[in-house]
Amino acid sequence: MPSLIQSARCIVSRSQLCPSQLPILDFLAPSALSIRQPSRLHSTIPPSAEPSNPPSRQNAEKSNKPPRRPLTEAQKDFLDSALRVNQAGELAATLIYTAQTPPIVRAHPHLRPLMKHMYDQEAGHFDYFNKLLAKHRVRPTAMYPIWQAAATALGWGTAIMGREAAMACTEAVETEIGEHYNEQLRVLLDWAEKLEKSGEGVSEEFAVLIKELRRIRDEELEHLDHAVEHDAKEAKPYELLTNVIRGGCRTAIWISERV
Amino acid sequence: MYQKGVFLRQPLWKQRSAYHSYEHPESPPFPPAESAILSASLSHVPDHGFTSTALKLGARDAGYPDVSTNLLPRGVYDLVNYHLVTQRLALRDALQFPSDAENGKPIGVGSKVRALTLARLRANAPIVHRWQEALAIMAQPGYVPASLAELARLADEIWFLAGDTSVDMSWYTKRATLSAVYSASEVFMTQDTSADFVDTERFLDARLADLTKVGGLIGALGEWVGYTGHSVVNVLRSKGVRI
Ligand SMILES: [Fe+2]
Ligand SMILES: [Fe+2]
């Protein structure tokens, strides 16, 4: 387990810390391994254009597989809180960028396309989870208005501190979010493996969710790279700022999973 | 796996079915023996009410000796709950809304909510003369949380089947208000002597009309919370403040 967590950290911060450990990630994230372009400003890939990866689920449609079993209560609970917290996180992300953009763009007009690009991706993520919640009957977090307020305050507050602080905010948030998505992926991939072994096969539902979570995770890590490229580390006081924000993210995740 | 034990362990807001899968089947809501006894017992409710007599007769009909009512630790509440759960689940097949294309124009979510709520109320018709007993059982302190949770599930079911897809704070207000409207109509129906429950239908329509008024209020309240919360910055910006 510790090594898995380590590897998740590596994905998140591999450009800074542990490029040499990349192979560990094999099972976790093929899509993370295909090296992401430093900037994909003009290539927001629509989900449908991505190759669907687990070929095994076609085989699963074949006749002699055991019938699909109900999900356990624990599995349902996991999916329930995972989707809820993801929606809350993406809501917050769109609001952070909305709040950050005017002050940042006013001071640094050349950052307009980058801010818009990141916002557009977050809006896509938010939309994806909104649809998923409605489809799978997952309730939204009861803290919805609180997160709205907190995210706007965070975005605006860091933006008026300057470009570096805004980027440090992005870096901190995306570090937490990237790890968070990796933790979910680990669980889902473990289930997928067991479903394969039992002969039941991975349901379309899970296969698509895994694929989409990887795509979204990769986009979050791309934001992280952008933030670092734009001097997030120059923010003062960097340690205090990022630690406070990361602590806040973890708390928000913990609460949204439950409430 | 079955819902029964869940009532006692979890806080109210968690007592909903989590994550609905389209490929993995749902577990049956009741174990087979319980299901057999309770469905047989229900057929005795018109004559014997929601009573232990109905349960005993049902157990006998189902081929279980009287003693097996021990399977049902909550006694008559289990009988009431069985009716609630099975009628909630029956809503899925109770109504077939024509598709927008067939109908010529889209049927609004509101009309679907009305139709589903009415269908659920009408499902009480065969036992409506006994329903006040059931309400009294549900109101016993020990069963109030479970009853409220089941009411919340019914409201959730209706909004889901009506095709509502909102996943913001209105998710909560919609379910809370529909729960209130449904409960009021259900109580009204126990005293309704009109033919084919037309008075209940009118009562429901009046409550739903109230709701659109109150709904405006709740919407305004939500906007106010949003205003003081996340959009202060945006509102100030729209007023030309450069922040
Ligand atoms: Fe995102
Ligand atoms: Fe992001």
Side-chain angles (χ1 to χ4, degrees), chain A residues 90 93 122 125 216 220:
Chain A
E90 299 298 350
E122 300 299 3
H125 303 167
I216 290 171
E220 308 299 5

mmCIF file of all heavy atoms in Angstrom, chain A residues 90 93 122 125 216 220, ligand 1:
data_model
loop_
_atom_site.group_PDB
_atom_site.id
_atom_site.type_symbol
_atom_site.label_atom_id
_atom_site.label_comp_id
_atom_site.label_asym_id
_atom_site.label_seq_id
_atom_site.Cartn_x
_atom_site.Cartn_y
_atom_site.Cartn_z
ATOM 1 N N GLU A 90 -15.017 19.469 -8.829
ATOM 2 C CA GLU A 90 -15.030 20.137 -10.127
ATOM 3 C C GLU A 90 -15.858 21.422 -10.078
ATOM 4 O O GLU A 90 -15.538 22.390 -10.765
ATOM 5 C CB GLU A 90 -15.546 19.192 -11.213
ATOM 6 C CG GLU A 90 -14.697 17.930 -11.395
ATOM 7 C CD GLU A 90 -13.255 18.206 -11.821
ATOM 8 O OE1 GLU A 90 -12.943 19.355 -12.171
ATOM 9 O OE2 GLU A 90 -12.432 17.277 -11.788
ATOM 10 N N ALA A 93 -13.446 23.788 -8.704
ATOM 11 C CA ALA A 93 -12.415 24.147 -9.684
ATOM 12 C C ALA A 93 -12.928 25.203 -10.661
ATOM 13 O O ALA A 93 -12.241 26.189 -10.943
ATOM 14 C CB ALA A 93 -11.965 22.897 -10.437
ATOM 15 N N GLU A 122 -12.129 22.381 -16.809
ATOM 16 C CA GLU A 122 -12.849 22.170 -15.541
ATOM 17 C C GLU A 122 -14.356 22.145 -15.784
ATOM 18 O O GLU A 122 -15.080 21.340 -15.197
ATOM 19 C CB GLU A 122 -12.506 23.254 -14.519
ATOM 20 C CG GLU A 122 -11.034 23.357 -14.143
ATOM 21 C CD GLU A 122 -10.464 22.099 -13.511
ATOM 22 O OE1 GLU A 122 -11.182 21.090 -13.403
ATOM 23 O OE2 GLU A 122 -9.291 22.111 -13.129
ATOM 24 N N HIS A 125 -15.227 18.814 -16.985
ATOM 25 C CA HIS A 125 -15.233 17.821 -15.898
ATOM 26 C C HIS A 125 -16.521 17.935 -15.069
ATOM 27 O O HIS A 125 -17.153 16.941 -14.727
ATOM 28 C CB HIS A 125 -14.050 18.020 -14.942
ATOM 29 C CG HIS A 125 -12.709 17.976 -15.612
ATOM 30 N ND1 HIS A 125 -11.561 18.387 -14.974
ATOM 31 C CD2 HIS A 125 -12.332 17.584 -16.847
ATOM 32 C CE1 HIS A 125 -10.529 18.240 -15.790
ATOM 33 N NE2 HIS A 125 -10.973 17.755 -16.931
ATOM 34 N N ILE A 216 -9.523 12.709 -17.039
ATOM 35 C CA ILE A 216 -9.683 13.897 -16.207
ATOM 36 C C ILE A 216 -8.458 14.081 -15.324
ATOM 37 O O ILE A 216 -7.923 15.177 -15.186
ATOM 38 C CB ILE A 216 -10.985 13.789 -15.384
ATOM 39 C CG1 ILE A 216 -12.181 13.923 -16.333
ATOM 40 C CG2 ILE A 216 -11.034 14.840 -14.286
ATOM 41 C CD1 ILE A 216 -13.528 13.613 -15.693
ATOM 42 N N GLU A 220 -5.953 17.281 -15.026
ATOM 43 C CA GLU A 220 -5.608 17.983 -13.784
ATOM 44 C C GLU A 220 -4.090 18.091 -13.653
ATOM 45 O O GLU A 220 -3.553 19.119 -13.245
ATOM 46 C CB GLU A 220 -6.154 17.252 -12.550
ATOM 47 C CG GLU A 220 -7.631 16.887 -12.555
ATOM 48 C CD GLU A 220 -8.574 18.067 -12.641
ATOM 49 O OE1 GLU A 220 -8.115 19.204 -12.793
ATOM 50 O OE2 GLU A 220 -9.795 17.835 -12.584
HETATM 51 FE FE FE C 1 -11.165 19.201 -13.034
#
